[in-house]
């Protein structure tokens, strides 16, 4: 089939590569415009654009995919199928109606749980046993289309947002190729989503990573894992100049049954473990990064900062 692939995020790269190696013809890659990066603000292309260029695939990077110019360019490609995966723009109805066979989306959760941008983090945050890929038909409503394929994946007990993202990226190709086989044969399933089971996973901002030590230690531990590496998690401390600074907290942290005043720091006299008391239980910190400094062991941080309480 003649396919147009719309994708930007790195999670889409293994699936895009698999599509390039398949029996299908990739007419073009549609991705986000290059973005300025670094102190010099030099334009940096999405990594998937480089993959397409190396394979000789035309690349389209419209600022607004709903613009008349972008829609005309896409219509000229005569796509039978459009594949959307971590693209990053809302698709207009004219584009949704454009392919002759189907427009499908690969979403990194088991829909109808979770619709939205932070589906990977939400699965860890809510202590789900599994997640996976859902391949669905695209409709105007967010992640609400009929399901073609749903492939579950077990979430490990020590899973981080980063590790789950990478495992899902490698599992994406099988889901897409199976769905395309169904579409090509005209036998693709259309299983409606149960609207009563939907929940929304909104886009995360850096402030969402602030740790609230009054919450149970188990919840905070999941937040630290889920939000690594985006948006990351942090707390605050007061330095020797009585100035409040941020302190990034990294996995892996360990649960402890020790209790205390939330945010209070305890150092084990024998193991020298650094524990932070929570609303229920406490957490043993591994690595942290003070504002303006390098990443370091929690013990090293305390040797250089007389801190008794966080947050």
């Amino acid at each position: 089939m003649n396919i147009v692939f719309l994708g930007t995020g790195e999670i889409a790269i293994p699936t895009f590569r698999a599509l390039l190696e398949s029996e299908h013809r990739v007419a073009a890659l549609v991705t986000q415009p290059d973005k300025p990066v670094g102190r010099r603000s030099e334009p940096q292309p999405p990594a998937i654009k480089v993959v397409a260029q190396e394979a000789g695939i035309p690349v389209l990077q419209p600022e607004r995919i709903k613009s008349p110019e972008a829609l005309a360019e896409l219509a000229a490609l005569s796509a039978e199928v459009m594949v959307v995966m971590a693209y990053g723009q809302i698709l207009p109805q004219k584009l949704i109606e454009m392919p002759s066979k189907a427009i499908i989306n690969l979403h990194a959760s088991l829909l109808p749980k979770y619709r939205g941008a932070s589906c990977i983090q939400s699965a860890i945050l809510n202590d789900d046993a599994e997640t996976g890929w859902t391949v669905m038909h695209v409709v105007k409503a967010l992640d609400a289309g009929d399901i073609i394929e749903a492939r579950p994946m077990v979430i490990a007990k020590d899973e981080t947002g980063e590790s789950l993202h990478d495992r899902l990226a490698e599992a994406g190709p099988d889901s897409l190729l199976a769905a395309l086989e169904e579409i090509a044969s005209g036998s693709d399933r259309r299983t409606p989503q149960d609207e009563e089971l939907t929940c929304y996973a909104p886009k995360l901002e850096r402030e969402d990573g602030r740790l609230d030590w009054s919450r149970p230690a188990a919840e905070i531990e999941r937040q630290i894992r889920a939000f690594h590496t985006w948006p990351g998690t942090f707390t605050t401390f007061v330095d020797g100049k009585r100035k409040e600074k941020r302190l990034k907290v990294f996995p892996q942290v360990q649960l402890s049954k020790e209790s205390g005043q939330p945010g209070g720091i305890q150092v084990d006299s024998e193991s020298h473990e650094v524990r932070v008391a929570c609303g229920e239980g406490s957490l043993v910190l591994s690595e942290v990064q003070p504002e303006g400094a390098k990443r370091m062991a929690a013990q090293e941080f305390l040797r250089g900062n007389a801190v008794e309480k966080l947050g």
Side-chain angles (χ1 to χ4, degrees):
M1 294 183 294
N2 191 45
I3 296 177
V4 172
F5 192 97
L6 295 86
T8 304
E10 292 194 6
I11 196 170
I13 291 176
T15 300
F16 182 60
R17 288 188 187 276
L19 184 60
L20 292 175
E21 295 170 2
S22 73
E23 62 185 349
H24 304 288
R25 176 182 178 270
V26 180
L29 167 72
V30 183
T31 190
Q32 295 278 54
D34 297 359
K35 290 187 177 181
V37 175
R39 293 181 179 179
R40 297 182 180 180
S41 295
E42 295 180 355
Q44 186 76 19
I48 196 170
K49 174 184 176 180
V50 178
V51 175
Q53 289 176 325
E54 289 174 350
I57 302 298
V59 178
L60 281 63
Q61 295 180 274
E63 289 280 353
R64 296 169 60 251
I65 199 165
K66 64 181 180 180
S67 70
E69 297 81 9
L71 291 173
E73 208 170 1
L74 284 163
L77 296 171
S78 301
E80 293 175 85
V81 176
M82 288 185 175
V83 176
V84 186
M85 190 176 184
Y87 172 55
Q89 290 193 43
I90 296 173
L91 306 182
Q93 187 63 33
K94 284 186 178 180
L95 187 144
I96 293 172
E97 296 171 354
M98 200 174 286
S100 61
K101 289 184 181 291
I103 177 168
I104 61 175
N105 175 241
L106 276 76
H107 184 73
S109 76
L110 298 176
L111 291 170
K113 183 184 183 180
Y114 301 88
R115 295 178 180 177
S118 60
C119 48
I120 294 176
Q121 295 95 331
S122 294
I124 298 173
L125 194 65
N126 294 322
D127 202 23
D128 292 353
E130 64 178 14
T131 185
W133 281 110
T134 299
V135 185
M136 62 183 162
H137 290 277
V138 175
V139 295
K140 189 63 175 174
L142 179 68
D143 299 330
D146 291 347
I147 295 170
I148 304 170
E149 287 275 336
R151 297 201 173 195
M153 172 187 290
V154 173
I155 298 175
K157 290 297 183 182
D158 61 348
E159 200 87 67
T160 66
E162 180 181 49
S163 67
L164 186 54
H165 169 282
D166 292 349
R167 289 206 299 126
L168 282 162
E170 294 304 318
D174 287 344
S175 294
L176 174 62
L177 296 178
L180 290 178
E181 186 175 340
E182 290 194 33
I183 293 168
S185 66
S187 62
D188 60 303
R189 292 163 287 176
R190 284 181 171 268
T191 305
Q193 296 186 40
D194 187 341
E195 293 296 324
E196 293 185 0
L197 299 178
T198 61
C199 52
Y200 179 59
K203 181 180 178 181
L204 294 170
E205 306 293 343
R206 287 199 181 276
E207 189 62 25
D208 292 317
R210 182 183 292 273
L211 300 176
D212 178 359
W213 299 107
S214 68
R215 292 168 52 212
E219 292 183 8
I220 300 174
E221 188 270 342
R222 291 199 299 273
Q223 181 185 3
I224 293 169
R225 286 192 290 112
F227 290 4
H228 180 75
T229 57
W230 175 260
T233 49
F234 70 94
T235 184
T236 58
F237 70 98
V238 177
D239 67 8
K241 298 180 180 179
R242 303 191 64 80
K243 182 179 179 182
E244 185 176 270
K245 289 188 174 182
R246 288 196 174 197
L247 181 72
K248 291 182 181 179
V249 180
F250 298 92
Q252 301 287 337
V253 295
Q254 302 297 322
L255 295 172
S256 172
K257 294 181 179 179
E258 301 292 333
S259 60
Q261 186 68 25
I265 296 177
Q266 308 160 351
V267 180
D268 189 279
S269 57
E270 295 183 2
S271 66
H272 303 293
E273 290 180 338
V274 178
R275 291 192 300 265
V276 182
C278 306
E280 181 182 315
S282 59
L283 287 179
V284 178
L285 301 187
S286 55
E287 292 186 302
V288 297
Q289 184 175 4
E291 184 178 332
K294 65 177 183 178
R295 182 170 171 173
M296 62 186 70
Q299 294 91 333
E300 183 182 351
F301 165 68
L302 283 187
R303 283 196 294 269
N305 298 272
V307 178
E308 297 180 355
K309 192 174 187 299
L310 296 176

